Amino acid sequence: MIGYLLELGYDLCIAPDFNISGNPGFEIVLGVNK
Amino acid sequence: MKKRVVQGFQEMSNKGLRLNLTRKDALIDFLSCLPETLTKTSTRSKIVPGFVSNGQIGDEAKYASKFAFPDFDIMLDTVRREVSKEEYNLCKKTFPELLLYGLKLGEVEEQEYNRLGYPMDEDPCGQEVSKDKITIKQECRQRAKCLSKEYQIEQRHAIVGRHCQVRIKDEKKRDHWSVMWAGKCLPQLSAIMVLFGHVKNDITCLDLNACLLADPSAFKKATTPTGKMMEGCYLYYDTNDGQWIRSGKAVGSNFDKRHKEHSKGSELKDSISQKSKFYSSYPSRSVNLHDNRARKGTFENLQQYIGVGYNKMLKKNMLKDVKDKGIFILIMRSTEGLMPLTSKERADLIQNNAT
């Protein structure tokens, strides 16, 4: 969970136009496999 | 002055600053004359005329007033086309209402201009451009706003909500307890990022589409012998385009292993990697693509940096609940690590977040 949180926090700081991640974060917890 | 600047650069050079000679000389010349330039130009008498000439502040001499108010007529004169009498009267009549709206929200919404009968903007070809559908995602296309206004600050806080709307396709999962928990812990993580110097110095002047992360020099490379063995959050920086492009996590693994997995994926040898936006955007140089439209760069140009890295053996410090002087809000059932929450714990968390 901490790993997901850290990833999400930094993901939110990246400019949306250049961020190539489409992951929502917490994929396994959300039951979303990207 | 120049002598002191040269000495300063020499001291920084001794501490590890490396600049090429041309850049160093240019900086020395610029910094040596900067104080004098600022002294001569940054005076009130030099700055005020610019604001007076576009009407943002009134001419003190003209109004014989210590506090010169904006000049309505001069501001309208800045319009590059002829302003009709109807438009002039409309501006004059509706100004008090627009001012109150701006004072309340920090900007006047497009619907308000439409309601009051203002004509729509036109593109260079004379075609009307509707701004009705422009959301906070296209902030650069919106009208002027005051970013420090409370309402605007709240809008910026909605960034997590925006992330959920874009990335979580299933609407029912957007208020999932894990997302709420993340929202609760993001302030602490933000503090860590600021403490590490990972965030740009002044984010108040950045819009929602800007990168908030500092220059790569503020980060440690994940490719050093020490960094390689850590786990946590890593980042990828496109050294060619000069942009941060992705964050990722290595848990139960380490940064080096994840980098090697990504390197292999960038070769696009299997269907899973071919479907990945990351690998198709940054395929390996060795990949010969028939269609290069999806390519944004080359994997070999990506540098892996550490966001938050920790030693697996010492991570217990991160797993203390905030009530036990830890960093994050955690619900744990044992000291070994996070466990799945019970339905009651989830309900409690949601309830706590709602209050």
Side-chain angles (χ1 to χ4, degrees), chain A residues 1-32 34, chain B residues 162-163 167-168 173 176-177 181-182 185 189 193 198 209 211-213 233 235 243-249 277-278 307-308 318 328 338:
Chain A
M1 290 294 284
I2 294 289
Y4 276 126
L5 175 67
L6 300 176
E7 181 184 24
L8 175 65
Y10 279 87
D11 184 296
L12 292 172
C13 291
I14 297 174
D17 290 346
F18 295 98
N19 192 339
I20 48 93
S21 175
N23 294 340
F26 300 95
E27 290 87 335
I28 292 176
V29 189
L30 284 172
V32 182
K34 290 283 289 182
Chain B
R162 183 184 74 169
H163 171 91
R167 302 274 189 91
I168 304 176
K173 293 186 175 178
H176 192 268
W177 62 267
W181 173 76
C185 290
L189 178 56
M193 293 162 78
H198 286 178
N209 290 320
C211 179
L212 306 183
L213 296 180
C233 170
L235 298 159
Q243 298 290 344
W244 293 106
I245 59 107
R246 191 183 188 275
S247 67
K249 70 175 189 317
K277 192 179 175 188
F278 179 27
V308 176
M318 293 187 70
F328 299 114
L338 283 168

Side-chain angles (χ1 to χ4, degrees), chain B residues 56-244:
Chain B
Q56 287 192 47
I57 56 174
D59 189 342
E60 288 179 356
K62 184 178 171 184
Y63 293 101
S65 165
K66 185 180 177 184
F67 302 106
F69 294 105
D71 192 307
F72 183 74
D73 289 340
I74 296 177
M75 285 174 84
L76 272 186
D77 277 346
T78 62
V79 179
R80 292 183 180 179
R81 60 175 175 78
E82 194 173 336
V83 178
S84 68
K85 193 175 178 183
E86 289 75 23
E87 286 175 324
Y88 178 88
N89 288 334
L90 180 65
C91 291
K92 205 164 184 175
K93 182 183 165 191
T94 57
F95 178 76
E97 201 171 339
L98 291 172
L99 178 65
L100 289 174
Y101 208 95
L103 289 173
K104 185 181 175 187
L105 301 179
E107 76 163 333
V108 180
E109 292 178 346
E110 201 59 28
Q111 293 90 327
E112 195 60 14
Y113 282 110
N114 294 341
R115 187 184 68 79
L116 294 170
Y118 278 83
M120 284 204 281
D121 282 354
E122 293 179 355
D123 67 14
C125 302
Q127 297 293 313
E128 287 188 339
V129 180
S130 171
K131 293 187 175 183
D132 290 343
K133 298 278 172 65
I134 292 176
T135 66
I136 199 152
K137 281 182 74 179
Q138 298 98 31
E139 203 167 35
C140 56
R141 293 177 61 195
Q142 292 180 327
R143 294 184 191 272
K145 60 167 69 171
C146 174
L147 293 175
S148 57
K149 201 74 194 167
E150 196 173 321
Y151 175 78
Q152 295 300 329
I153 292 171
E154 285 172 9
Q155 292 286 300
R156 298 166 82 83
H157 285 168
I159 192 167
V160 177
R162 183 184 74 169
H163 171 91
C164 293
Q165 281 194 337
V166 175
R167 302 274 189 91
I168 304 176
K169 306 300 177 198
D170 185 348
E171 285 185 30
K172 292 173 187 169
K173 293 186 175 178
R174 287 176 188 163
D175 58 354
H176 192 268
W177 62 267
S178 60
V179 178
M180 293 185 180
W181 173 76
K184 201 79 176 169
C185 290
L186 281 173
Q188 292 95 312
L189 178 56
S190 304
I192 291 172
M193 293 162 78
V194 172
L195 189 69
F196 285 179
H198 286 178
V199 181
K200 286 176 180 169
N201 286 334
D202 184 3
I203 61 169
T204 59
C205 55
L206 302 175
D207 70 33
L208 277 175
N209 290 320
C211 179
L212 306 183
L213 296 180
D215 188 81
S217 60
F219 293 79
K220 291 189 184 300
K221 287 182 178 176
T223 45
T224 61
T226 315
K228 276 181 176 182
M229 306 315 292
M230 286 183 162
E231 55 184 83
C233 170
Y234 58 86
L235 298 159
Y236 274 113
Y237 184 79
D238 182 348
T239 58
N240 185 51
D241 200 22
Q243 298 290 344
W244 293 106

Side-chain angles (χ1 to χ4, degrees), chain B residues 288-306:
Chain B
N288 191 14
L289 293 172
H290 295 297
D291 186 348
N292 260 318
R293 280 178 295 180
R295 183 192 280 272
K296 293 191 172 181
T298 301
F299 185 80
E300 285 77 3
N301 285 334
L302 297 181
Q303 172 64 51
Q304 191 188 32
Y305 284 91
I306 299 173

Side-chain angles (χ1 to χ4, degrees), chain B residues 339-352:
Chain B
M339 301 291 284
L341 302 173
T342 64
S343 55
K344 184 178 181 307
E345 286 168 338
R346 290 179 197 180
D348 289 344
L349 187 62
I350 290 169
Q351 194 176 356
N352 289 338

Side-chain angles (χ1 to χ4, degrees), chain B residues 249-308:
Chain B
K249 70 175 189 317
V251 177
S253 176
N254 60 46
F255 295 145
D256 188 43
K257 282 183 188 170
R258 287 297 289 140
H259 183 69
K260 283 175 179 163
E261 287 167 6
H262 287 317
S263 178
K264 193 177 174 186
S266 74
E267 293 171 3
L268 302 178
K269 286 183 176 172
D270 55 69
S271 59
I272 294 174
S273 60
Q274 286 163 10
K275 286 178 187 170
S276 160
K277 192 179 175 188
F278 179 27
Y279 303 140
S280 55
S281 300
Y282 286 88
S284 167
R285 192 171 283 131
S286 63
V287 177
N288 191 14
L289 293 172
H290 295 297
D291 186 348
N292 260 318
R293 280 178 295 180
R295 183 192 280 272
K296 293 191 172 181
T298 301
F299 185 80
E300 285 77 3
N301 285 334
L302 297 181
Q303 172 64 51
Q304 191 188 32
Y305 284 91
I306 299 173
V308 176

